[in-house]
Amino acid sequence: MKTVTTKNLVIGSGAPKIIVPIVGKTETELLDEVTLLQSIDFDVLEWRVDHFTQVDNIDAVKTVAKKIATLLPSKPILFTFRTANEGGVKPWPLTDYLELNKEIAKSGLVDLIDVEVFIGDQYVKEIINVAHQHNVLVVTSNHDFEKTPAKNDIISRLRKMQDLGADIPKIAVMPQTTDDVLTLLAATTEMNEKYATRPIITMSMAGLGAISRVAGTTFGSAMTFGAAKNASAPGQLDVKQLRYILDVLYQSKQ
């Protein structure tokens, strides 16, 4: 599999990399979360900026982004505004979503940005082009909090993200049965072995899907999400436990 690298972190090689979200509503809350993370072993910080009460003020967003980067200078930062349609906390006009992501990509303050694939192909490509012009990687994403689509549908969505130019396609789905979890894992394996030209991220959410968050080494998901203080999605494991499990599984495979 082709790898991608940011701040000396090689994604797609070795054990799955751990992303830890921060979801503070204020600058103080966010910086408190980041300070806590200074003593924790993880790979990528995700700022879920849709939780930030001043998200409509781009200067305030940039100010906090700079402070976060200063506190964690060696960690890549993934910038994510999750729309309400895909599990976010704030309704947001598409024009504002586009402007926010383009401006933060141009700022040089983050290393990766999340772009939801179903905002429209043209808009996804616009953000990707701006991001790549400024050496920012793009995670294109899709989240289904109601169900698990069919295996071929999951693969189709991941291939679509890849075709649009994403550096890392990502999909998260909600299982209703154990078979749903197996569907996600089977789709991950087939995508990884037959179609992927870059790292992918997949997960089955909630407690029922927890196995998918630690099984990347076997099935082909290059990254996973762990919680330090506050989880950003159902089923996220404690980051310290997650690191231990991933290391054991990766070592056992060698």
Short mmCIF file of all heavy atoms in Angstrom, two decimals, residues 118-149:
data_model
loop_
_atom_site.label_atom_id
_atom_site.label_comp_id
_atom_site.label_asym_id
_atom_site.label_seq_id
_atom_site.Cartn_x
_atom_site.Cartn_y
_atom_site.Cartn_z
N PHE A 118 -19.75 13.86 0.61
CA PHE A 118 -21.06 14.10 0.02
C PHE A 118 -21.49 15.57 0.04
O PHE A 118 -22.67 15.86 -0.17
CB PHE A 118 -22.11 13.20 0.66
CG PHE A 118 -21.97 11.76 0.25
CD1 PHE A 118 -21.94 10.75 1.20
CD2 PHE A 118 -21.84 11.42 -1.09
CE1 PHE A 118 -21.79 9.42 0.82
CE2 PHE A 118 -21.70 10.09 -1.48
CZ PHE A 118 -21.67 9.09 -0.53
N ILE A 119 -20.55 16.49 0.25
CA ILE A 119 -20.90 17.91 0.06
C ILE A 119 -21.01 18.24 -1.42
O ILE A 119 -21.51 19.31 -1.79
CB ILE A 119 -19.88 18.85 0.73
CG1 ILE A 119 -18.48 18.68 0.13
CG2 ILE A 119 -19.86 18.66 2.24
CD1 ILE A 119 -17.48 19.73 0.55
N GLY A 120 -20.54 17.37 -2.28
CA GLY A 120 -20.56 17.59 -3.72
C GLY A 120 -19.17 17.45 -4.32
O GLY A 120 -18.21 18.01 -3.77
N ASP A 121 -19.06 16.74 -5.43
CA ASP A 121 -17.75 16.45 -6.01
C ASP A 121 -16.95 17.71 -6.30
O ASP A 121 -15.74 17.79 -6.02
CB ASP A 121 -17.90 15.65 -7.30
CG ASP A 121 -18.43 14.24 -7.06
OD1 ASP A 121 -18.71 13.91 -5.89
OD2 ASP A 121 -18.55 13.49 -8.04
N GLN A 122 -17.60 18.71 -6.88
CA GLN A 122 -16.90 19.95 -7.24
C GLN A 122 -16.30 20.61 -6.01
O GLN A 122 -15.15 21.07 -6.02
CB GLN A 122 -17.87 20.92 -7.92
CG GLN A 122 -17.28 22.30 -8.19
CD GLN A 122 -18.33 23.29 -8.65
OE1 GLN A 122 -19.41 22.91 -9.09
NE2 GLN A 122 -18.01 24.58 -8.56
N TYR A 123 -17.07 20.65 -4.92
CA TYR A 123 -16.60 21.32 -3.71
C TYR A 123 -15.48 20.53 -3.04
O TYR A 123 -14.53 21.10 -2.50
CB TYR A 123 -17.76 21.52 -2.74
CG TYR A 123 -18.89 22.33 -3.33
CD1 TYR A 123 -20.20 21.83 -3.38
CD2 TYR A 123 -18.66 23.60 -3.87
CE1 TYR A 123 -21.23 22.58 -3.92
CE2 TYR A 123 -19.68 24.35 -4.42
CZ TYR A 123 -20.96 23.82 -4.45
OH TYR A 123 -21.98 24.56 -5.00
N VAL A 124 -15.61 19.20 -3.06
CA VAL A 124 -14.53 18.36 -2.50
C VAL A 124 -13.23 18.63 -3.25
O VAL A 124 -12.17 18.83 -2.64
CB VAL A 124 -14.91 16.87 -2.59
CG1 VAL A 124 -13.71 16.00 -2.19
CG2 VAL A 124 -16.10 16.56 -1.70
N LYS A 125 -13.31 18.66 -4.58
CA LYS A 125 -12.11 18.89 -5.39
C LYS A 125 -11.52 20.27 -5.12
O LYS A 125 -10.30 20.44 -5.08
CB LYS A 125 -12.44 18.74 -6.87
CG LYS A 125 -12.72 17.31 -7.30
CD LYS A 125 -13.08 17.24 -8.78
CE LYS A 125 -13.36 15.83 -9.23
NZ LYS A 125 -13.75 15.76 -10.66
N GLU A 126 -12.38 21.26 -4.93
CA GLU A 126 -11.90 22.62 -4.65
C GLU A 126 -11.06 22.65 -3.38
O GLU A 126 -9.97 23.22 -3.34
CB GLU A 126 -13.08 23.59 -4.50
CG GLU A 126 -13.74 24.00 -5.80
CD GLU A 126 -14.89 24.96 -5.55
OE1 GLU A 126 -14.99 25.52 -4.44
OE2 GLU A 126 -15.71 25.15 -6.47
N ILE A 127 -11.59 22.04 -2.32
CA ILE A 127 -10.85 22.04 -1.06
C ILE A 127 -9.57 21.23 -1.18
O ILE A 127 -8.51 21.65 -0.68
CB ILE A 127 -11.73 21.51 0.09
CG1 ILE A 127 -12.97 22.39 0.29
CG2 ILE A 127 -10.93 21.45 1.39
CD1 ILE A 127 -13.95 21.86 1.32
N ILE A 128 -9.64 20.09 -1.82
CA ILE A 128 -8.45 19.27 -2.00
C ILE A 128 -7.37 20.04 -2.76
O ILE A 128 -6.19 20.01 -2.38
CB ILE A 128 -8.79 17.95 -2.72
CG1 ILE A 128 -9.59 17.04 -1.80
CG2 ILE A 128 -7.52 17.24 -3.19
CD1 ILE A 128 -10.09 15.76 -2.47
N ASN A 129 -7.76 20.75 -3.81
CA ASN A 129 -6.78 21.50 -4.59
C ASN A 129 -6.09 22.57 -3.74
O ASN A 129 -4.87 22.73 -3.79
CB ASN A 129 -7.46 22.15 -5.80
CG ASN A 129 -7.80 21.14 -6.88
OD1 ASN A 129 -7.21 20.06 -6.94
ND2 ASN A 129 -8.76 21.48 -7.73
N VAL A 130 -6.88 23.29 -2.96
CA VAL A 130 -6.31 24.33 -2.09
C VAL A 130 -5.39 23.70 -1.06
O VAL A 130 -4.28 24.18 -0.81
CB VAL A 130 -7.42 25.15 -1.41
CG1 VAL A 130 -6.83 26.08 -0.35
CG2 VAL A 130 -8.21 25.96 -2.45
N ALA A 131 -5.86 22.62 -0.45
CA ALA A 131 -5.05 21.96 0.57
C ALA A 131 -3.72 21.49 0.00
O ALA A 131 -2.66 21.72 0.60
CB ALA A 131 -5.83 20.79 1.17
N HIS A 132 -3.76 20.83 -1.13
CA HIS A 132 -2.53 20.30 -1.71
C HIS A 132 -1.57 21.41 -2.14
O HIS A 132 -0.34 21.22 -2.09
CB HIS A 132 -2.87 19.39 -2.89
CG HIS A 132 -3.43 18.07 -2.46
ND1 HIS A 132 -3.96 17.15 -3.35
CD2 HIS A 132 -3.55 17.50 -1.23
CE1 HIS A 132 -4.37 16.08 -2.68
NE2 HIS A 132 -4.14 16.28 -1.40
N GLN A 133 -2.12 22.54 -2.55
CA GLN A 133 -1.26 23.68 -2.89
C GLN A 133 -0.47 24.17 -1.68
O GLN A 133 0.58 24.79 -1.83
CB GLN A 133 -2.10 24.82 -3.46
CG GLN A 133 -2.64 24.56 -4.85
CD GLN A 133 -3.67 25.60 -5.28
OE1 GLN A 133 -3.83 26.64 -4.63
NE2 GLN A 133 -4.38 25.31 -6.36
N HIS A 134 -0.97 23.87 -0.49
CA HIS A 134 -0.33 24.33 0.74
C HIS A 134 0.21 23.16 1.57
O HIS A 134 0.40 23.28 2.79
CB HIS A 134 -1.31 25.18 1.56
CG HIS A 134 -1.67 26.46 0.87
ND1 HIS A 134 -2.67 26.54 -0.08
CD2 HIS A 134 -1.14 27.71 0.96
CE1 HIS A 134 -2.76 27.78 -0.52
NE2 HIS A 134 -1.85 28.51 0.08
N ASN A 135 0.43 22.04 0.89
CA ASN A 135 1.05 20.86 1.52
C ASN A 135 0.26 20.32 2.71
O ASN A 135 0.84 19.87 3.71
CB ASN A 135 2.49 21.18 1.94
CG ASN A 135 3.37 21.54 0.76
OD1 ASN A 135 3.35 20.86 -0.26
ND2 ASN A 135 4.10 22.64 0.89
N VAL A 136 -1.05 20.40 2.60
CA VAL A 136 -1.93 19.86 3.63
C VAL A 136 -2.61 18.60 3.07
O VAL A 136 -3.11 18.62 1.93
CB VAL A 136 -3.01 20.89 4.05
CG1 VAL A 136 -4.04 20.27 4.98
CG2 VAL A 136 -2.34 22.09 4.70
N LEU A 137 -2.59 17.52 3.83
CA LEU A 137 -3.23 16.29 3.41
C LEU A 137 -4.74 16.36 3.66
O LEU A 137 -5.20 17.10 4.53
CB LEU A 137 -2.66 15.10 4.18
CG LEU A 137 -1.17 14.82 4.00
CD1 LEU A 137 -0.73 13.66 4.91
CD2 LEU A 137 -0.83 14.51 2.56
N VAL A 138 -5.48 15.57 2.88
CA VAL A 138 -6.94 15.59 3.00
C VAL A 138 -7.47 14.20 3.31
O VAL A 138 -7.17 13.22 2.61
CB VAL A 138 -7.60 16.10 1.71
CG1 VAL A 138 -9.14 16.05 1.84
CG2 VAL A 138 -7.15 17.53 1.42
N VAL A 139 -8.24 14.12 4.40
CA VAL A 139 -9.02 12.94 4.73
C VAL A 139 -10.43 13.19 4.23
O VAL A 139 -11.11 14.10 4.72
CB VAL A 139 -9.04 12.69 6.26
CG1 VAL A 139 -9.92 11.49 6.59
CG2 VAL A 139 -7.64 12.51 6.80
N THR A 140 -10.88 12.44 3.23
CA THR A 140 -12.28 12.56 2.84
C THR A 140 -13.08 11.55 3.63
O THR A 140 -12.63 10.42 3.85
CB THR A 140 -12.50 12.32 1.34
OG1 THR A 140 -11.83 11.15 0.95
CG2 THR A 140 -12.02 13.50 0.53
N SER A 141 -14.28 11.92 4.05
CA SER A 141 -14.99 11.09 5.01
C SER A 141 -16.47 10.96 4.71
O SER A 141 -17.07 11.78 4.02
CB SER A 141 -14.81 11.66 6.42
OG SER A 141 -15.43 12.94 6.51
N ASN A 142 -17.03 9.89 5.26
CA ASN A 142 -18.47 9.66 5.24
C ASN A 142 -18.85 8.93 6.51
O ASN A 142 -18.14 8.02 6.94
CB ASN A 142 -18.87 8.85 4.00
CG ASN A 142 -20.34 8.46 4.00
OD1 ASN A 142 -20.67 7.30 3.85
ND2 ASN A 142 -21.23 9.42 4.19
N HIS A 143 -19.96 9.34 7.14
CA HIS A 143 -20.40 8.76 8.40
C HIS A 143 -21.88 8.42 8.31
O HIS A 143 -22.69 9.26 7.94
CB HIS A 143 -20.17 9.75 9.55
CG HIS A 143 -18.77 10.24 9.63
ND1 HIS A 143 -18.29 11.21 8.77
CD2 HIS A 143 -17.74 9.90 10.44
CE1 HIS A 143 -17.01 11.44 9.07
NE2 HIS A 143 -16.66 10.65 10.06
N ASP A 144 -22.21 7.20 8.64
CA ASP A 144 -23.60 6.76 8.68
C ASP A 144 -23.92 6.32 10.10
O ASP A 144 -23.48 5.26 10.55
CB ASP A 144 -23.84 5.61 7.70
CG ASP A 144 -25.32 5.32 7.49
OD1 ASP A 144 -26.10 5.49 8.46
OD2 ASP A 144 -25.70 4.92 6.38
N PHE A 145 -24.65 7.14 10.83
CA PHE A 145 -24.96 6.87 12.23
C PHE A 145 -26.24 6.05 12.40
O PHE A 145 -26.67 5.79 13.52
CB PHE A 145 -25.09 8.18 13.01
CG PHE A 145 -23.77 8.81 13.37
CD1 PHE A 145 -23.11 9.62 12.48
CD2 PHE A 145 -23.18 8.56 14.61
CE1 PHE A 145 -21.88 10.20 12.80
CE2 PHE A 145 -21.96 9.13 14.94
CZ PHE A 145 -21.31 9.94 14.03
N GLU A 146 -26.83 5.63 11.28
CA GLU A 146 -28.07 4.87 11.35
C GLU A 146 -27.88 3.39 11.02
O GLU A 146 -28.54 2.54 11.61
CB GLU A 146 -29.10 5.47 10.37
CG GLU A 146 -29.45 6.92 10.65
CD GLU A 146 -30.12 7.12 12.00
OE1 GLU A 146 -30.86 6.20 12.42
OE2 GLU A 146 -29.88 8.15 12.64
N LYS A 147 -26.97 3.09 10.10
CA LYS A 147 -26.90 1.73 9.60
C LYS A 147 -25.52 1.43 9.04
O LYS A 147 -24.65 2.31 8.97
CB LYS A 147 -27.94 1.52 8.50
CG LYS A 147 -27.68 2.37 7.26
CD LYS A 147 -28.78 2.22 6.24
CE LYS A 147 -28.49 3.01 4.97
NZ LYS A 147 -28.19 4.43 5.18
N THR A 148 -25.34 0.18 8.59
CA THR A 148 -24.16 -0.24 7.86
C THR A 148 -24.58 -0.53 6.42
O THR A 148 -25.39 -1.45 6.19
CB THR A 148 -23.55 -1.50 8.48
OG1 THR A 148 -23.11 -1.19 9.81
CG2 THR A 148 -22.37 -2.00 7.66
N PRO A 149 -24.09 0.23 5.46
CA PRO A 149 -24.43 -0.05 4.06
C PRO A 149 -23.90 -1.41 3.63
O PRO A 149 -23.07 -2.03 4.31
CB PRO A 149 -23.74 1.08 3.29
CG PRO A 149 -23.48 2.14 4.31
CD PRO A 149 -23.25 1.42 5.61
#
